[in-house]
Amino acid sequence: MKISCVLPIYNTDYQLSDTLNSLLNQDYDNKEIIVIDDGSTDEITPLKNYYLKEGVAWITMKNRSGAAFCRNYGNANSNGDIVAVCDAGDFYLPKRLSKIAQFFKESKKDIFYSDVQVNSPVNKPLYVQQATVWDGSSKPPISHPTVAYSREVANTLRYHEKSLDTDLYEFFMLDAYRHGYKFGFLNETLCLKLALESAPDVRDIKKAKELKTEMYKKYKIEVLQA
């Protein structure tokens, strides 16, 4: 079972190495790592050249199109039986891919997610966001960097390309649920990420939240804060 790690990036050279190293150091060998560079304007070339030598595939967009477009492009150009979501700045524990592979071999589920360790900017543990059962009637309680899904899901669904400032992953999950795909999870920490409010970000978070609020209304889902 081959797993494709699809990693969109934009001006993240300051945090990319830890992410890519954690993917290269997985204890599961049947994998491919695909970076989709969304027209970064920082000095990414040295990192790109280094990781190309390490076997990482690197696709560079001419113009910035947004994380959702990059995820869709990466999914379409990956070859794995499973697609593992990856984000620059997150750190994946060595057993992540082997746990994902085991999950899909042993279950009849289509989408996987897990617990995630949330850290401060200096990597001090703050709390564990635990994966919980979701019935599709609310905002998904899912940490996107922990997600993996089958090739069928990747071929059938697309992330909503409505904004440069967010991948709108919540609505990919909602679409998957409404298509009848089955979700499953492990209460095991396989990913470490920085607290959102403290992580460096090039996006317009306020604008993204406004867009999500409007989209939740269209999906007929009430949330206190999108």
Side-chain angles (χ1 to χ4, degrees), residues 24 27 41 47 56 71 83 148 166 173 182 194 197 199 213:
L24 287 169
D27 64 1
T41 58
L47 278 177
V56 173
R71 291 198 193 281
V83 172
T166 173
M173 297 295 109
K182 304 302 181 183
L194 294 179
E197 63 272 14
T213 298

Side-chain angles (χ1 to χ4, degrees), residues 23-43:
L23 294 175
L24 287 169
N25 292 328
Q26 292 290 306
D27 64 1
Y28 190 81
D29 293 330
N30 192 8
K31 64 181 181 290
E32 64 177 356
I33 302 169
I34 305 174
V35 171
I36 315 295
D37 183 355
D38 194 20
S40 294
T41 58
D42 54 2
E43 186 49 54

Side-chain angles (χ1 to χ4, degrees), residues 29-194:
D29 293 330
N30 192 8
K31 64 181 181 290
E32 64 177 356
I33 302 169
I34 305 174
V35 171
I36 315 295
D37 183 355
D38 194 20
S40 294
T41 58
D42 54 2
E43 186 49 54
I44 201 75
T45 302
L47 278 177
K48 174 182 177 180
N49 291 339
Y50 173 80
Y51 285 105
L52 283 173
K53 294 178 182 178
E54 294 295 312
V56 173
W58 200 291
I59 301 171
T60 302
M61 299 297 170
K62 292 183 179 180
N63 301 300
R64 190 180 178 205
S65 300
F69 177 89
C70 291
R71 291 198 193 281
N72 290 332
Y73 193 90
N75 286 357
N77 287 276
S78 62
N79 298 303
D81 305 293
I82 304 298
V83 172
V85 172
C86 301
D87 282 336
D90 296 328
F91 182 85
Y92 298 96
L93 300 184
K95 59 185 177 180
R96 183 198 183 206
L97 295 189
S98 61
K99 289 287 186 178
I100 289 172
Q102 181 180 5
F103 172 87
F104 281 101
K105 288 176 182 177
E106 295 179 354
S107 77
K108 295 183 179 180
K109 307 294 186 182
D110 306 291
I111 299 178
F112 165 91
Y113 57 105
S114 70
D115 297 350
V116 60
Q117 171 70 54
V118 180
N119 288 355
S120 72
V122 292
N123 273 329
K124 180 181 179 180
L126 297 176
Y127 61 90
V128 173
Q129 179 182 331
Q130 288 193 322
T132 59
V133 175
W134 178 52
D135 65 3
S137 64
S138 63
K139 179 180 178 180
I142 295 171
S143 178
H144 196 219
T146 73
V147 168
Y149 38 79
S150 68
R151 172 52 53 187
E152 180 183 339
V153 173
N155 288 346
T156 303
L157 303 180
R158 292 178 59 84
Y159 288 84
H160 293 255
E161 298 173 12
K162 295 185 177 182
S163 173
L164 296 181
D165 298 306
T166 173
D167 52 27
L168 299 172
Y169 81 88
E170 297 94 334
F171 305 98
F172 184 95
M173 297 295 109
L174 283 162
D175 291 343
Y177 190 92
R178 294 179 181 190
H179 270 75
Y181 290 119
K182 304 302 181 183
F183 289 70
F185 63 89
L186 287 179
N187 279 131
E188 188 169 348
T189 299
L190 303 177
C191 172
L192 282 66
K193 70 175 184 178
L194 294 179

